[in-house]
Amino acid sequence: MDSIKANLLKLRETRKKILGCLPLYPPMEIFHAMDLIPVTLWGLRDMIRTLDESDRHIQNYSCSVARRAAEFILSESGMMLDGIFAYNACDTLRNLPEILSNGLQDAGRPLPMFQIHVPMVPSGQTDAKDYLCNEILSLIRLLEKTFHIPFSSDRFQDSVEKYNEVRNLYRRMEKQVASGKMTFQDFMIAFHSSGFLPVEDQIRFLSGELDRCCNKESKPGNHPIMISGILPPPLPVIQAIEKAGLRIVCNDIASLGRYYGYSPGLNASVEQYFVDFYENHIPCPTLLYSADNRMEYMISVLQKTSAEGVIFVGEKFCEYEYFEFPYLEKRLKDKGVPSVLIEIAVDDEDNIASLKNRIDAFAEVIGQHEGRP
Amino acid sequence: METAKIGAGKHLTQVITKAYMDLHERAANGAFVVWIAINVPAEIFLGFENVVYGVPESHAAMNAAKGVGVTQCAKAEQLGYSMDLCSYARIDIGCVSDHGKDSPSFGLPKPDLIVSNNNNCSLLTKWFDVHHRQMGVPHFLIDVPFCYQPQKEKDREYIVRQFRDLIRVIEQMSGQKFNMDRFCQAVDHSIQGVAHWKKFLEFADRKPSGITAFDSFVHMAPFLIQRGVPAFEEHYRLLVEETEQRVANCVFPVPEEKYRLFWDNIAPWHQLRKMSSRLADLNANIVGATYTSCIGTKEGSFDLYPFDNTDPMHFLARTQNSYICPHGLELRKQAMAGVIRKLKIDGIIFASNRSCKPYSITQMDQQQYFFNQEGIPTVMIEVDHADARKYSEENSFLRIEALLEAIDAKRAA
């Protein structure tokens, strides 16, 4: 999508250092507070069309998130970055920093790498809060040393407010989708257009989009459903879903609802803020300690939004998600909620006929389901 | 190639058979049963009087080696588990769903507690979560930070704290008291056994090699399911003695050894006999493997990491990153470079394993490094450690034969 490229160029014009963050949930507020511009390297589907550089380093049975992030960093686009951040989000992503370092070294443009370990122990087991606090403080020290920018608590509070505002705007936008004032497709276009913008510009952009759709008429109708997975499906698949008579009113998507669903409280110290951020995060299979709460969370959202079914958007080779699908599908079935799994691989955007068939069939199931006692 | 089962081979069968029989029998008689990931310190459970442990990964490998891997995988796939998931996990989930049917050991007894960790892979935690939810059994997760550099003291302390919490959980759940002396004795058996293991691997130093990596794959089973008991120590002592005798008698697995190869990844359990025989016919011997060399070490080196007789809990924590997957590319290269020089390796086989992404993901960079920087011919083949459907013997050997030709060309140059 051209907007990503355009936004990236705008970022460069700010002359601030840009930190490329490997997904899923990096501590953005810290980087922003230190006058860096953090960008989370996902949602690159429309920008990265070939994977030549990535394929020199990573097997093709890695997920598209890792392959596209690697491609972005190792190709020309990566030249606008001043550093890379990663945490132990998954087995693939934890190995990526060294692979990227190697590739960047070969290309003659080494970048500083920043890593933390986010504890994965379940609450009530071993108290890992001190460990995480130490990781956060060590990261700040390293950023200060590398970029010669001192950390300030006041600036951090300002950053927290801004990021919470962005999350809040996304949540409001999702409500507009649920009420029928906005299609999910439009929401996704706005979401992608606001990606790779400085947080201040994101706020302006999203506020404008919200103002625009507030004046629109609600167009409810169609069958409300939830989508769940790591990334939202490609736009042609979203179009197919909406064309089939389904309306996406809520989501359990890592780059969407799981990201903006929870805002930690203000006025905490930086390390306590991130204890709250990770501990109370919307459940995600990659946050190992939270996975047991995912079903309960999904059910509560389904009830709140009256969604009638779930489309699981399987990110090909994301084993975190795939281990959970059979359990989730079964539990939903027990509760009388139909679901379907569609799988999205790297090149599936150009090849969605079979996905359309599944979506149409699912829409029929939902229609029939409605009439049941 | 020598194929008759040697004494240690018979002993191995006895040890493994007895281990599974004891596990079932003790579980039936009320022992507290724990299912663990392979590198959870088994010695902790031996610190209790009546706690037994089963190892789903090892059990899955045994199923694959005995030719029922695909049968078990198919059961999991019928339940909706994707073919892209780790084949160990699919075998185990399939086997549990069918109450141990088709398993050489009739499965594992139902657990009271499941203990996973995320050092080899976080997916193991996801896999064990399947059982945790299905069976309603508590799941204790040991969180081991990944190493880009040698393990840090803060990480070691964090791991030790979790070991102590695990002990507390078992005490509460089982009503048994942890006994430090029993635990120390178990650690001692493990340390002695591992020392013998390293001696066994050293028979690959000589030319022709006294062993093949396939021997080490087969004989690692006690390390996985029998750590901390006298039989573990005894088995590896016997293995060393016997191999020593065979070498003294000039009995070598590949007597006309022309190519000394090294294997990177988990063993292809469904191909052990076929692959070793076919390689031997080509006078090629895989004399070592990262998979078996990392036992008893710490990250970044395949040398024995000795116990300094101080704190066994810290010692076990210190070795938690030694297996290949819990550490990064640079440490992997460092350890591998050392052993490749030591064993005078002619070529490396990188087994790109769809069922183990954490093991495989660094291989393309490793391959480039060893070829470009160390000048060693390499090849990458596609395998799956336990799902034979994802392996093509002819494709693999086409590449392996090309590797042997590259070695010849290098020698001729």
Side-chain angles (χ1 to χ4, degrees):
Chain A
M1 192 177 280
D2 288 343
S3 65
I4 296 179
K5 266 189 183 165
N7 291 353
L8 285 167
L9 287 172
K10 267 190 225 161
L11 287 186
R12 204 65 201 154
E13 283 166 15
T14 63
R15 296 189 177 277
K16 289 187 178 181
K17 304 271 188 205
I18 302 173
L19 195 67
C21 301
L22 296 182
L24 288 67
Y25 313 116
M28 306 287 270
E29 295 88 334
I30 290 179
F31 308 130
H32 180 262
M34 297 186 77
D35 215 23
L36 303 166
I37 299 183
V39 287
T40 309
L41 299 174
W42 56 2
L44 298 165
R45 185 187 283 137
D46 300 310
M47 181 186 173
I48 306 280
R49 303 298 294 182
T50 59
L51 294 162
D52 300 342
E53 291 300 322
S54 167
D55 284 350
R56 291 178 59 218
H57 296 272
I58 309 175
Q59 282 97 338
N60 61 6
Y61 50 82
S62 301
C63 72
S64 76
V65 174
R67 293 174 75 193
R68 288 205 173 97
E71 183 68 23
F72 180 92
I73 291 166
L74 294 173
S75 65
E76 212 176 294
S77 321
M79 288 176 83
M80 62 179 64
L81 299 177
D82 297 287
I84 310 282
F85 170 82
Y87 75 96
N88 50 313
C90 76
D91 294 335
T92 298
L93 292 177
R94 76 182 185 181
N95 276 289
L96 220 45
E98 286 187 304
I99 294 171
L100 296 171
S101 274
N102 250 6
L104 291 168
Q105 196 77 40
D106 288 349
R109 47 185 177 96
L111 285 176
M113 296 275 167
F114 304 91
Q115 291 116 4
I116 61 166
H117 177 81
V118 174
M120 291 291 165
V121 288
S123 61
Q125 194 185 291
T126 301
D127 187 356
K129 288 187 181 106
D130 286 349
Y131 185 95
L132 178 60
C133 291
N134 186 40
E135 289 292 282
I136 294 292
L137 295 175
S138 300
L139 171 66
I140 291 171
R141 281 195 294 274
L142 187 57
L143 288 164
E144 286 181 323
K145 199 173 154 193
T146 307
F147 295 116
H148 311 290
I149 303 168
F151 177 80
S152 132
S153 295
D154 289 343
R155 287 190 57 131
F156 176 69
Q157 288 306 325
D158 178 56
S159 302
V160 165
E161 282 174 25
K162 287 192 167 106
Y163 276 90
N164 278 351
E165 176 62 14
V166 168
R167 292 189 189 104
N168 188 36
L169 287 166
Y170 282 135
R171 286 196 291 264
R172 283 176 56 200
M173 208 169 252
E174 190 183 290
K175 277 189 186 154
Q176 299 295 339
V177 175
S179 71
K181 289 193 172 186
M182 192 179 200
T183 64
F184 191 79
Q185 199 185 147
D186 290 336
F187 176 32
M188 280 304 88
I189 290 169
F191 180 81
H192 283 301
S193 301
S194 65
F196 298 94
L197 280 178
V199 67
E200 296 80 3
D201 292 352
Q202 273 186 323
I203 292 169
R204 269 192 293 277
F205 178 82
L206 294 172
S207 302
E209 290 295 302
L210 267 170
D211 287 346
R212 257 192 297 283
C213 75
C214 280
N215 301 325
K216 287 185 184 171
E217 262 180 54
S218 284
K219 285 183 196 164
N222 290 346
H223 295 285
I225 58 150
M226 168 191 266
I227 55 169
S228 172
I230 294 292
L231 293 174
L235 279 180
V237 177
I238 293 172
Q239 283 162 359
I241 291 171
E242 294 185 332
K243 219 171 171 182
L246 302 172
R247 192 160 49 90
I248 302 165
V249 295
C250 55
N251 77 81
D252 167 46
I253 297 285
S255 67
L256 300 175
R258 287 183 212 158
Y259 161 69
Y260 60 66
Y262 176 72
S263 299
L266 299 173
N267 300 321
S269 64
V270 59
E271 63 272 28
Q272 287 305 326
Y273 176 86
F274 284 104
V275 167
D276 184 356
F277 176 85
Y278 288 112
E279 194 171 83
N280 297 308
H281 202 279
I282 300 294
C284 176
T286 66
L287 297 171
L288 303 175
Y289 53 85
S290 74
D292 267 357
N293 302 326
R294 184 173 174 195
M295 188 73 254
E296 203 183 317
Y297 168 76
M298 284 178 71
I299 294 289
S300 74
V301 175
L302 286 166
Q303 283 170 347
K304 223 183 286 173
T305 58
S306 305
E308 296 168 13
V310 179
I311 295 182
F312 288 105
V313 185
E315 172 66 37
K316 179 86 173 162
F317 301 122
C318 177
E319 295 180 76
Y320 291 78
E321 289 276 338
Y322 275 88
F323 266 115
E324 293 198 346
F325 287 147
Y327 167 76
L328 296 172
E329 284 172 329
K330 186 176 179 304
R331 286 286 310 275
L332 288 171
K333 194 175 172 190
D334 292 346
K335 292 199 173 286
V337 179
S339 68
V340 69
L341 168 63
I342 57 170
E343 183 170 86
I344 308 287
V346 158
D347 51 1
D348 271 353
E349 189 163 355
D350 305 321
N351 192 15
I352 64 160
S354 63
L355 297 179
K356 270 184 178 165
N357 287 342
R358 284 180 73 81
I359 291 163
D360 287 341
F362 182 63
E364 276 177 36
V365 170
I366 292 266
Q368 289 162 8
H369 189 261
E370 191 187 37
R372 282 181 196 159
Chain B
M1 189 194 169
E2 182 70 36
T3 54
K5 207 169 213 178
I6 58 173
K10 283 181 186 155
H11 189 256
L12 177 71
T13 306
Q14 287 165 10
V15 167
I16 300 303
T17 306
K18 187 172 182 313
Y20 278 106
M21 284 176 69
D22 282 354
L23 176 60
H24 280 291
E25 194 181 329
R26 289 185 64 189
N29 289 326
F32 186 83
V33 181
V34 187
W35 282 9
I36 62 167
I38 48 170
N39 45 12
V40 168
E43 295 81 359
I44 287 177
F45 310 110
L46 294 159
F48 293 90
E49 195 181 346
N50 201 20
V51 173
V52 291
Y53 67 92
V55 188
E57 288 151 283
S58 184
H59 176 254
M62 181 173 70
N63 274 261
K66 297 290 181 189
V68 291
V70 172
T71 308
Q72 304 286 28
C73 280
K75 294 176 193 171
E77 287 152 19
Q78 278 170 12
L79 294 171
Y81 291 93
S82 165
M83 266 187 92
D84 289 331
L85 293 172
C86 164
S87 48
Y88 279 173
R90 279 180 286 135
I91 288 174
D92 181 51
I93 292 168
C95 183
V96 169
S97 76
D98 206 11
H99 311 289
K101 190 167 171 263
D102 299 315
S103 156
S105 69
F106 310 102
L108 299 170
K110 186 177 181 292
D112 298 297
L113 174 68
I114 296 169
V115 184
S116 75
N117 54 22
N118 57 351
N119 49 352
N120 264 352
C121 67
S122 302
L123 296 170
L124 195 125
T125 303
K126 307 305 296 178
W127 156 12
F128 280 24
D129 262 350
V130 171
H131 295 319
H132 152 66
R133 290 171 191 147
Q134 185 74 29
M135 300 177 186
V137 172
H139 180 180
F140 190 100
L141 160 65
I142 300 172
D143 179 38
V144 178
F146 186 75
C147 281
Y148 299 99
Q149 290 136 20
Q151 190 192 67
K152 292 174 183 148
E153 183 65 33
K154 69 176 175 70
D155 292 344
R156 187 146 59 255
E157 292 301 331
Y158 175 48
I159 296 166
V160 168
R161 276 212 310 279
Q162 294 179 74
F163 287 169
R164 295 194 198 286
D165 285 340
L166 173 61
I167 290 167
R168 262 197 296 278
V169 165
I170 297 174
E171 283 186 333
Q172 282 164 7
M173 288 184 70
S174 71
Q176 298 176 41
K177 194 86 191 134
F178 180 73
N179 182 312
M180 187 52 92
D181 290 339
R182 288 177 66 105
F183 165 68
C184 290
Q185 197 176 33
V187 172
D188 189 54
H189 286 308
S190 289
I191 287 166
Q192 300 304 328
V194 165
H196 290 308
W197 169 260
K198 296 303 275 185
K199 278 186 205 154
F200 167 67
L201 294 187
E202 281 173 11
F203 287 106
D205 292 359
R206 65 177 319 287
K207 195 172 184 234
S209 171
I211 60 169
T212 75
F214 298 96
D215 299 324
S216 67
F217 292 150
V218 170
H219 282 282
M220 73 189 286
F223 176 78
L224 305 177
I225 63 168
Q226 281 284 277
R227 286 198 300 278
V229 299
F232 171 77
E233 187 182 338
E234 172 62 14
H235 178 71
Y236 290 120
R237 189 191 56 75
L238 179 67
L239 184 63
V240 168
E241 282 176 7
E242 194 172 81
T243 310
E244 203 163 33
Q245 193 57 53
R246 288 162 67 85
V247 167
N249 294 338
C250 293
V251 177
F252 303 110
V254 183
E256 305 297 321
E257 182 184 281
K258 190 178 168 193
Y259 308 100
R260 293 169 64 80
L261 307 177
F262 197 76
W263 178 270
D264 181 60
N265 217 305
I266 299 173
W269 294 113
H270 46 86
Q271 292 298 315
L272 296 184
R273 185 174 290 274
K274 266 189 187 173
M275 189 180 272
S276 59
S277 302
R278 199 161 161 181
L279 282 166
D281 289 344
L282 297 165
N283 292 324
N285 186 3
I286 300 179
V287 299
T290 50
Y291 189 48
T292 47
S293 297
C294 65
I295 291 172
T297 66
K298 60 183 167 65
E299 68 288 335
S301 165
F302 289 146
D303 294 339
L304 178 69
Y305 175 62
F307 179 44
D308 63 1
N309 287 313
T310 53
D311 183 346
M313 207 70 85
H314 275 78
F315 173 75
L316 293 176
R318 180 64 194 87
T319 58
Q320 282 293 289
N321 290 92
S322 63
Y323 310 94
I324 306 302
C325 298
H327 57 262
L329 174 62
E330 292 307 317
L331 290 165
R332 290 184 196 193
K333 284 197 300 202
Q334 191 180 308
M336 208 165 155
V339 77
I340 277 167
R341 282 182 210 121
K342 180 170 171 266
L343 294 178
K344 297 184 174 59
I345 293 297
D346 299 313
I348 307 170
I349 300 175
F350 286 97
S352 178
N353 182 353
R354 281 177 177 260
S355 266
C356 193
K357 295 176 185 73
Y359 211 131
S360 309
I361 187 160
T362 57
Q363 285 182 317
M364 292 174 82
D365 277 32
Q366 284 172 278
Q367 190 182 18
Q368 284 174 31
Y369 170 80
F370 282 103
F371 183 71
N372 295 330
Q373 306 295 319
E374 302 275 337
I376 298 172
T378 66
V379 72
M380 192 169 288
I381 61 171
E382 295 274 335
V383 299
D384 185 292
H385 54 240
D387 188 344
R389 294 169 297 180
K390 295 188 187 174
Y391 172 77
S392 161
E393 184 181 340
E394 288 316 311
N395 280 349
S396 297
F397 268 87
L398 198 65
R399 290 180 179 213
I400 291 171
E401 284 169 21
L403 171 70
L404 304 185
E405 284 172 18
I407 294 169
D408 286 337
K410 187 186 165 194
R411 284 173 179 161

